[in-house]
Amino acid sequence: METETQKYQIDVGNLMAYDPYHSFSSLPQDREQLVKECLQKGTELVQAIADVLFNLPSTEDRDGPIVQLPPPTTRLPREKHLPKPKPPTKWELFAKQKGIKNHKKDKIVFDEQTGTWKRRHGYDRVDDDKDVPIIEAKMTDEPGEDPFAKRQVEKKERVEKQEKNRLQNLKKAAKVGALPSHIQLAATALPITGTQSAPKKVSKDELENVAGMAATATASGGKFDKKLPGEKSAKHPGKYRKFLPVAEGSGMGSQEQQQTQKVLNKLFAKHSHEILDVDKAVTMFNVKKEKKKKDWQGKGKSSSMSDKLKPKKKSNFKAPNKGSSKKGASKKGSSKKVKTK
């Protein structure tokens, strides 16, 4: 939308604005000046878009005014290339040459054998081989040939032919580069690439990991599966959750009942203090108390040891005379004699 009085081209549908007449008067000297001018011009363009938006009719809402944007006028470029068309299959080419047109068929068809309406394809379909009790003989049938077995063989051949045609169509699409995205990821694992390169050899460890994953992919984790002669037990690189046994009984079987009973007792407790395990709390308190006591004793021992290791200072105490020391010794001896008596 552009007018004579407006110098910007504004596309409200895409919330875009463009100034076709903008040009730098002189080249910026450094990057900071260029960023500054770009931010200034961008602010002007955003303000122009806001002016147009507030002039559009709006409806009031609890979160604020709501504006219905007009359809966009600028065609933006596509992010990714257009998908390539798939090459036609052999049947599509044949139908085009013969002028055959596909008509949409009904999913439900009347089955004359059972007298009911059944699906055209899939489970319990019309003309199912299981619902045919009698097959009429033909002049071309060989004597002694089982018509039911012959019908099964023909069906198997049709399925194999259909699968072969499907892989050929995928191979053609892979050469053109028009494979679907979900098949493109698995193209290396399908026989549709047409490459003659030898497949990558798998190491022994990778084979063991794959075999272990396959062996433990059961409800019992491969515990009750039959093993081949010489087969080793599967490796468990990760941890597995342990579940309680389903059947009740003594020992492990009663743990589930005990756990549920414990949860119910907590939920239906009348008072909040009943949820607290008093014995456990007292034990924890005593353990912490003993730990603190040991820590204090350890600190005292360490201080006494450090005192012993310190160098002794010389004291200024004078020793008494020899006579006085003897008298003191005799007194001590007499006192000992008195005590012995």
Side-chain angles (χ1 to χ4, degrees):
M1 84 190 263
E2 183 178 5
T3 60
E4 297 178 358
T5 59
Q6 196 173 20
K7 60 180 180 179
Y8 301 132
Q9 292 181 0
I10 300 176
D11 182 6
V12 188
N14 288 324
L15 295 177
M16 290 174 54
Y18 174 66
D19 186 4
Y21 308 108
H22 174 70
S23 61
F24 291 102
S25 57
S26 61
L27 292 175
Q29 297 178 358
D30 52 1
R31 186 177 180 82
E32 293 181 359
Q33 187 178 357
L34 177 63
V35 172
K36 186 178 180 181
E37 292 187 9
C38 291
L39 288 174
Q40 184 179 358
K41 180 55 66 175
T43 306
E44 295 176 2
L45 294 174
V46 172
Q47 185 62 44
I49 296 172
D51 294 342
V52 176
L53 284 176
F54 279 97
N55 290 329
L56 292 175
S58 61
T59 56
E60 293 296 332
D61 191 65
R62 183 179 62 181
D63 299 329
I66 297 177
V67 177
Q68 185 69 28
L69 297 178
T73 57
T74 307
R75 296 185 64 183
L76 299 176
R78 185 183 176 92
E79 181 186 0
K80 297 181 181 179
H81 61 80
L82 291 170
K84 296 180 181 180
K86 289 180 65 176
T89 61
K90 286 185 178 180
W91 164 250
E92 290 175 351
L93 292 173
F94 177 76
K96 188 176 181 181
Q97 291 176 359
K98 298 296 182 179
I100 301 173
K101 295 182 180 179
N102 292 330
H103 297 284
K104 190 174 181 180
K105 298 180 181 180
D106 297 330
K107 294 183 179 180
I108 304 298
V109 184
F110 184 77
D111 188 9
E112 296 181 355
Q113 296 180 2
T114 57
T116 56
W117 292 87
K118 290 189 175 183
R119 301 183 183 91
R120 186 181 293 274
H121 305 288
Y123 174 73
D124 195 18
R125 60 182 177 83
V126 69
D127 295 334
D128 195 357
D129 296 341
K130 298 178 182 179
D131 297 336
V132 180
I134 300 172
I135 299 176
E136 295 182 2
K138 299 179 182 178
M139 297 297 294
T140 55
D141 292 344
E142 296 181 2
E145 186 179 14
D146 188 0
F148 293 97
K150 183 181 178 181
R151 197 168 183 177
Q152 290 290 335
V153 172
E154 291 176 352
K155 181 180 178 181
K156 187 176 181 181
E157 291 177 354
R158 287 197 306 270
V159 171
E160 291 177 355
K161 184 180 178 181
Q162 181 66 22
E163 182 65 17
K164 185 179 178 181
N165 293 337
R166 187 181 72 86
L167 293 176
Q168 287 180 354
N169 294 331
L170 289 174
K171 188 175 179 179
K172 290 180 181 178
K175 288 181 179 179
V176 180
L179 271 178
S181 59
H182 63 283
I183 300 178
Q184 186 71 36
L185 296 173
T188 55
L190 293 173
I192 61 175
T193 54
T195 57
Q196 298 296 330
S197 59
K200 179 185 175 183
K201 291 185 178 180
V202 185
S203 62
K204 182 180 178 182
D205 295 335
E206 292 177 353
L207 287 174
E208 288 181 355
N209 291 336
V210 173
M213 292 171 64
T216 56
T218 56
S220 62
K223 185 177 180 180
F224 303 106
D225 296 343
K226 294 182 179 179
K227 294 184 179 180
L228 297 173
E231 183 181 0
K232 297 180 181 179
S233 58
K235 294 182 178 180
H236 300 285
K239 295 182 180 180
Y240 291 84
R241 292 178 60 190
K242 293 183 179 181
F243 297 95
L244 296 175
V246 179
E248 294 184 1
S250 60
M252 291 291 293
S254 62
Q255 285 189 3
E256 185 176 2
Q257 185 179 1
Q258 293 176 2
Q259 287 184 358
T260 53
Q261 189 68 29
K262 191 175 180 180
V263 173
L264 289 173
N265 290 338
K266 287 184 177 181
L267 291 175
F268 294 109
K270 294 181 180 179
H271 304 287
S272 60
H273 66 273
E274 293 183 6
I275 302 175
L276 178 65
D277 191 350
V278 180
D279 298 335
K280 188 175 181 181
V282 172
T283 305
M284 291 178 65
F285 177 77
N286 292 334
V287 169
K288 289 182 179 179
K289 191 174 180 181
E290 289 292 332
K291 190 176 180 181
K292 286 183 179 180
K293 188 176 180 181
K294 288 180 180 179
D295 292 342
W296 280 108
Q297 290 177 357
K299 288 181 180 179
K301 288 181 180 180
S302 61
S303 61
S304 62
M305 290 293 292
S306 61
D307 293 340
K308 289 180 181 179
L309 294 174
K310 288 180 180 179
K312 294 182 178 180
K313 296 181 179 180
K314 293 181 179 180
S315 60
N316 296 325
F317 178 74
K318 292 182 179 181
N321 295 331
K322 293 181 180 179
S324 61
S325 61
K326 286 180 180 180
K327 290 179 182 178
S330 62
K331 286 180 180 179
K332 287 181 181 177
S334 62
S335 63
K336 286 181 181 177
K337 288 178 181 177
V338 173
K339 286 180 180 177
T340 52
K341 286 180 180 181

